[in-house]
């Protein structure tokens, strides 16, 4: 099966979206649970229960994170390079926060001193809270446009700063990301725990779900009425853009709504985000934990594709020079590379899904305080 170049560009846009959803669904509840750890666990035994609810699987979930980053590098190398230039400090801050996760899991239980364990609890909190917040802030700034530009030799210049990322809309997007991952983590915690921990997680689900719905709607209204989007005015025939500079782009009010206005069925994406959150709250209250997790996962997919559809075909718009904006037409690898990588994904993605499903089926069941005490030296 050989696809033409334009079709492969669209397929890889979908692939990257699917990988981001996979990362959000799997590693997302790890991040959410880490951020909730100091608050849902009132003593050391309860915190160990919370840690061990993801202790056996969190490393495997990192595969989605690594794969999504690798896919962006393979399919959109210019985006990868430009993003690391523009978001360098934010990405390094995320990376250093993530360092707390492996060492926190492995070293927390080495010493019984409460001060030692409390310090690692807050380290795990940082490893969940900071990435969840920064991922949202980054997405928010993509919708606003990133201050970079290319010269005629395609050398990139970034004219912004880390503090400029912390603008009102970017922070709102950060709250959306943080609240939905906290909700997702609290839903998963209900699957793996019982008693007071599960009860506290249900309360968190209601609170964070409400915050997510309100902020998600607010962000949508803001985008429709207060934020200029980007649209391509002209480009080479057949989307045959040779470089990012071979097109004309303009900023215009309401431009991010163009795809939704032209294709009303696409409104199903934001509706899925809101409906998924509502259903997760209802199912959580009814103690239907698996249904709540499915609904929460649908919420994550809805949010990610809502942003992707609004920006399509843009990946990284430029606020400094709109013509330098990166789209799926002008930043992709060669036709041959996309074709080879297509088959790699088609072969290995089902293997990853099958293995992940098998792992979770083997490790299913509740983690309790009694489980921790009976396996004192074999668990985190």
């Amino acid at each position: 099966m050989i696809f033409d170049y334009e079709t492969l560009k669209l397929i890889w846009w979908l692939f990257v979206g699917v990988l981001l959803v996979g990362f959000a669904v799997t590693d997302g509840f790890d991040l959410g649970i880490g951020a909730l750890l100091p608050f849902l666990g009132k003593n050391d035994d309860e915190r160990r229960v919370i840690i061990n609810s993801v202790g056996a699987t969190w490393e495997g979930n990192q595969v989605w994170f690594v794969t999504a980053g690798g896919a962006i590098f393979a399919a959109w190398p210019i985006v990868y390079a430009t993003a690391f230039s523009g978001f360098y400090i934010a990405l390094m801050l995320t990376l250093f926060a993530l360092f707390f996760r492996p060492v926190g899991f492995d070293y927390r239980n080495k010493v019984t001193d409460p001060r030692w364990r409390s310090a690692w609890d807050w380290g795990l909190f940082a490893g969940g809270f900071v990435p969840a917040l920064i991922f949202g802030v980054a997405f928010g700034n993509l919708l606003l446009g990133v201050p970079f530009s290319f010269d005629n030799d395609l050398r990139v210049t970034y004219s912004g700063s880390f503090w400029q990322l912390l603008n009102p809309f970017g922070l709102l997007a950060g709250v959306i990301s943080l609240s939905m991952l906290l909700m997702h983590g609290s839903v998963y915690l209900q699957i793996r725990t019982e008693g007071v921990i599960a009860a506290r997680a249900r309360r968190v689900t209601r609170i964070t779900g409400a915050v997510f719905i309100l902020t998600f709607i607010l962000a949508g209204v803001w985008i429709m009425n207060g934020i200029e989007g980007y649209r391509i005015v002209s480009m080479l025939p057949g989307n045959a853009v040779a470089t990012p500079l071979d097109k004309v782009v303009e900023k215009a009010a309401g431009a991010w709504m163009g795809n939704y206005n032209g294709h009303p069925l696409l409104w199903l994406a934001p509706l899925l985000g809101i409906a998924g959150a509502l259903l997760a709250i209802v199912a959580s209250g009814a103690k239907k934990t698996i249904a709540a997790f499915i609904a929460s996962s649908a919420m994550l997919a809805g949010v990610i594709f809502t942003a992707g559809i609004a920006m399509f075909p843009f990946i990284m718009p430029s606020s400094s020079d709109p013509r330098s904006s990166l789209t799926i037409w002008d930043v992709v690898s060669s036709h041959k590379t996309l074709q080879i990588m297509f088959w790699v994904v088609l072969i290995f993605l089902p293997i990853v899904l099958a293995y992940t499903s098998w792992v979770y089926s083997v490790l299913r069941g509740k983690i309790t305080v009694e489980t921790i005490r009976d396996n004192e030296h074999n668990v985190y």
Side-chain angles (χ1 to χ4, degrees):
M1 184 188 304
I2 298 178
F3 294 102
D4 62 75
Y5 199 18
E6 304 311 313
T7 302
L8 277 172
K9 292 175 182 180
L10 289 170
I11 288 173
W12 270 95
W13 179 80
L14 288 170
F15 271 166
V16 172
V18 168
L19 289 171
L20 289 176
V21 171
F23 163 64
V25 170
T26 56
D27 215 27
F29 64 74
D30 288 345
L31 297 175
I33 288 173
L36 291 171
L37 174 63
F39 310 103
L40 292 188
K42 302 303 182 182
N43 55 53
D44 186 62
D45 283 338
E46 291 181 355
R47 292 184 179 185
R48 292 188 70 185
V49 167
I50 293 170
I51 290 170
N52 282 278
S53 69
V54 295
T57 55
W58 75 270
E59 286 181 290
N61 292 338
Q62 295 285 103
V63 169
W64 291 96
F65 185 39
V66 175
T67 303
I72 292 173
F73 175 76
W76 304 330
I78 297 179
V79 172
Y80 188 89
T82 306
F84 270 82
S85 297
F87 296 145
Y88 184 79
I89 295 178
L91 290 173
M92 290 303 295
L93 183 60
T94 301
L95 182 62
F96 283 119
L98 289 173
F99 286 165
F100 284 110
R101 299 180 72 195
V103 291
F105 279 110
D106 288 337
Y107 285 98
R108 182 190 186 278
N109 199 40
K110 301 296 185 183
V111 178
T112 58
D113 189 329
R115 293 170 298 179
W116 170 270
R117 293 189 172 183
S118 178
W120 287 118
D121 289 340
W122 286 104
L124 289 170
F125 163 80
F129 179 89
V130 173
L133 181 66
I134 289 182
F135 290 150
V137 170
F139 263 99
N141 278 275
L142 288 179
L143 288 162
L144 293 173
V146 183
F148 72 93
S149 61
F150 292 102
D151 62 19
N152 290 330
D153 295 319
L154 293 185
R155 291 174 296 191
V156 65
T157 299
Y158 181 75
S159 56
S161 68
F162 170 75
W163 300 110
Q164 286 179 295
L165 299 177
L166 305 180
N167 53 75
F169 184 79
L171 291 173
L172 176 64
V175 173
I176 293 172
S177 173
L178 180 61
S179 60
M180 72 181 187
L181 293 185
L182 289 176
M183 178 182 180
H184 193 54
S186 66
V187 167
Y188 183 77
L189 203 56
Q190 294 168 55
I191 297 176
R192 298 304 311 277
T193 65
E194 58 187 20
V196 293
I197 297 176
R200 292 173 195 147
R202 281 192 290 274
R203 288 196 294 271
V204 170
T205 298
R206 292 194 297 270
I207 296 169
T208 54
V211 171
F212 161 74
I213 293 170
L214 291 174
T215 52
F216 186 56
I217 293 174
L218 176 59
V221 173
W222 197 340
I223 289 171
M224 286 188 284
N225 298 288
I227 291 178
E228 289 186 323
Y230 294 72
R231 60 184 171 214
I232 297 175
V233 176
S234 65
M235 57 194 302
L236 297 178
N239 300 328
V241 178
T243 76
L245 301 179
D246 292 330
K247 62 182 182 298
V248 177
V249 176
E250 70 173 5
K251 294 178 67 175
W256 285 145
M257 306 309 299
N259 291 327
Y260 290 104
N261 295 333
H263 306 278
L265 278 177
L266 296 177
W267 282 99
L268 290 174
L271 289 176
L272 180 63
I274 295 171
L278 288 172
L279 290 173
I281 293 171
V282 172
S284 170
K287 299 184 180 180
K288 304 292 185 182
T289 55
I290 300 299
F293 185 79
I294 293 172
S296 181
S297 300
M299 169 194 67
L300 297 174
V303 171
I304 291 171
F305 278 105
T306 294
I309 290 169
M311 293 178 60
F312 182 87
F314 291 90
I315 303 170
M316 195 170 177
S318 169
S319 58
S320 300
D321 176 24
R323 187 180 61 148
S324 296
S325 298
L326 304 178
T327 74
I328 70 168
W329 310 123
D330 54 28
V331 298
V332 293
S333 298
S334 68
H335 188 186
K336 185 174 183 179
T337 298
L338 295 184
Q339 186 72 53
I340 293 172
M341 292 302 296
F342 169 80
W343 286 110
V344 171
V345 171
L346 211 61
I347 292 170
F348 286 99
L349 185 59
I351 294 175
V352 172
L353 288 171
Y355 178 75
T356 301
S357 301
W358 175 76
V359 167
Y360 278 94
S361 68
V362 171
L363 297 173
R364 67 186 182 275
K366 302 287 187 180
I367 303 293
T368 65
V369 171
E370 289 71 25
T371 304
I372 300 299
R373 291 174 178 171
D374 291 342
N375 298 273
E376 174 67 28
H377 302 292
N378 297 323
V379 296
Y380 290 116

